[in-house]
Protein backbone atom coordinates (compact mmCIF):
# COMPACT_ATOMS: atom_id res chain seq x y z
CA UNK A 1 0.00 0.00 0.00
CA UNK A 2 2.90 2.36 0.70
CA UNK A 3 4.17 1.95 -2.87
CA UNK A 4 0.86 3.08 -4.40
CA UNK A 5 -0.37 5.55 -1.77
CA UNK A 6 0.46 8.58 -3.94
CA UNK A 7 -1.32 7.15 -7.00
CA UNK A 8 -4.98 7.91 -7.64
CA UNK A 9 -6.87 4.62 -7.84
CA UNK A 10 -10.60 4.23 -7.33
CA UNK A 11 -10.35 0.57 -6.31
CA UNK A 12 -7.67 -1.91 -5.27
CA UNK A 13 -8.17 -5.64 -5.81
CA UNK A 14 -6.22 -8.02 -3.61
CA UNK A 15 -6.93 -11.06 -5.77
CA UNK A 16 -7.18 -13.47 -2.83
CA UNK A 17 -9.41 -16.44 -3.58
CA UNK A 18 -10.87 -18.11 -0.51
CA UNK A 19 -14.15 -18.34 1.33
CA UNK A 20 -14.40 -17.32 4.98
CA UNK A 21 -17.24 -18.82 7.02
CA UNK A 22 -18.20 -17.58 10.50
CA UNK A 23 -19.97 -20.54 12.15
CA UNK A 24 -20.16 -19.62 15.87
CA UNK A 25 -19.64 -15.98 16.82
CA UNK A 26 -15.99 -15.03 17.20
CA UNK A 27 -14.65 -17.82 14.97
CA UNK A 28 -13.65 -17.87 11.31
CA UNK A 29 -13.05 -20.88 9.08
CA UNK A 30 -11.41 -20.88 5.65
CA UNK A 31 -13.20 -23.01 3.05
CA UNK A 32 -11.84 -23.96 -0.36
CA UNK A 33 -12.66 -21.57 -3.18
CA UNK A 34 -14.95 -22.75 -5.96
CA UNK A 35 -12.12 -22.06 -8.43
CA UNK A 36 -9.46 -24.65 -7.50
CA UNK A 37 -6.96 -23.14 -9.97
CA UNK A 38 -6.98 -19.82 -8.11
CA UNK A 39 -7.62 -21.15 -4.61
CA UNK A 40 -5.25 -19.64 -2.00
CA UNK A 41 -6.64 -21.04 1.24
CA UNK A 42 -3.35 -22.79 2.10
CA UNK A 43 -1.39 -19.52 1.86
CA UNK A 44 -4.07 -17.53 3.69
CA UNK A 45 -4.28 -20.14 6.47
CA UNK A 46 -0.67 -19.38 7.37
CA UNK A 47 -1.44 -15.68 8.06
CA UNK A 48 -2.51 -14.35 11.44
CA UNK A 49 -5.87 -12.66 11.94
CA UNK A 50 -5.31 -9.18 13.41
CA UNK A 51 -8.95 -8.81 14.45
Amino acid sequence: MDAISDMEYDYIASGQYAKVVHPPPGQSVLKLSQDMVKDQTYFLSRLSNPA
Side-chain angles (χ1 to χ4, degrees):
M1 292 302 293
D2 292 337
I4 63 168
S5 63
D6 60 338
M7 299 178 185
E8 295 183 24
Y9 292 107
D10 292 328
Y11 301 98
I12 299 171
S14 69
Q16 301 299 327
Y17 284 82
K19 183 176 184 177
V20 180
V21 180
H22 305 279
Q27 292 185 1
S28 299
V29 176
L30 279 174
K31 297 287 185 176
L32 293 175
S33 172
Q34 291 182 353
D35 188 335
M36 292 306 295
V37 173
K38 297 179 181 178
D39 183 73
Q40 296 177 338
T41 51
Y42 177 76
F43 170 77
L44 295 172
S45 70
R46 307 295 291 166
L47 301 176
S48 62
N49 185 357

